Amino acid sequence: MDYRMVVDSELLELSIPERFVAYAEAYCNGAIALTDQMKGSEEKNTWANAAVVLMLSSHSAELLMKGMILHRHPDKNLNNTHDLDRLSKIYDEVYSEEKYRFDMPFKSDYLGMSDAEIEIFKKNQKPPAPSILYRYPTKTGKSEWDGAFGFEAASYIPIINQLLSDIVRLRNCIT
């Protein structure tokens, strides 16, 4: 048997922001691998696997933005947020240059709503972060998540592949 141990010390040569981006890439790779399995096997094409793909890829986007933000602002406290809309706003403020733009696939859209209506909606509706929503099968162990959820593996492949491409491109901007 050919054993190949990997150890965490390989990360010690990387800066903290680079570690975040390395994990973003790894989570994205995991999401791609499972999406490919789902597309190729009816047995693997389940909601449980879809939820894991969405959790891995949303967490990948979160870590990418956190790593990139920390690259320019190492003292920024981002530990207590999983809010992708908030992180995306901070990211866009920190990286206004075109070369840093990327298509963040987990943005909230409020079509037809004014800014005032959006703020009221956000106060009254506190949807969980995708990394929480897709991590657990129920809201509390006793109640279901609010909403209806679906996933189609073949149509998600270009989205997750674009996220990986953006991660690799942005990683190269900070290394």
Side-chain angles (χ1 to χ4, degrees):
M1 191 170 287
D2 184 22
Y3 295 104
R4 293 184 216 178
M5 168 107 30
V6 295
V7 293
D8 65 339
S9 62
E10 70 185 41
L11 294 174
L12 296 178
E13 64 190 42
L14 301 177
S15 69
I16 299 297
E18 289 171 331
R19 292 179 199 187
F20 271 79
V21 177
Y23 271 54
E25 184 174 352
Y27 276 105
C28 195
N29 284 329
I32 288 170
L34 187 51
T35 304
D36 286 342
Q37 288 180 21
M38 290 177 67
K39 183 178 176 257
S41 165
E42 198 58 40
E43 186 177 292
K44 298 280 186 182
N45 195 28
T46 65
W47 175 252
N49 282 338
V52 169
V53 165
L54 292 167
M55 195 285 297
L56 291 173
S57 51
S58 66
H59 197 55
S60 175
E62 176 184 332
L63 293 178
L64 171 64
M65 290 186 288
K66 285 181 174 181
M68 294 298 293
I69 293 165
L70 290 171
H71 176 70
R72 285 211 174 152
H73 297 285
D75 295 327
K76 188 93 168 149
N77 183 359
L78 302 171
N79 293 333
N80 294 325
T81 186
H82 303 287
D83 183 339
L84 297 181
D85 287 335
R86 180 170 170 249
L87 283 170
S88 184
K89 184 177 179 182
I90 295 168
Y91 178 88
D92 289 343
E93 289 169 0
V94 171
Y95 289 98
S96 59
E97 304 98 312
E98 187 62 33
K99 77 178 196 173
Y100 294 105
R101 298 255 180 244
F102 79 101
D103 186 19
M104 207 283 281
F106 294 94
K107 285 188 177 183
S108 298
D109 288 322
Y110 302 95
L111 300 176
M113 295 175 77
S114 69
D115 289 343
E117 290 171 323
I118 292 169
E119 288 307 313
I120 291 169
F121 178 79
K122 284 181 177 180
K123 282 182 184 176
N124 294 329
Q125 303 290 323
K126 298 234 186 231
S131 60
I132 302 300
L133 172 66
Y134 300 122
R135 189 181 308 169
Y136 300 103
T138 62
K139 187 174 185 176
T140 64
K142 295 181 181 179
S143 64
E144 299 296 328
W145 291 110
D146 296 326
F149 306 96
F151 180 83
E152 204 287 312
S155 63
Y156 195 68
I157 289 172
I159 295 168
I160 193 65
N161 283 332
Q162 180 61 54
L163 179 59
L164 180 60
S165 176
D166 288 334
I167 291 168
V168 169
R169 176 178 54 82
L170 293 169
R171 180 194 65 211
N172 289 330
C173 291
I174 66 169
T175 56

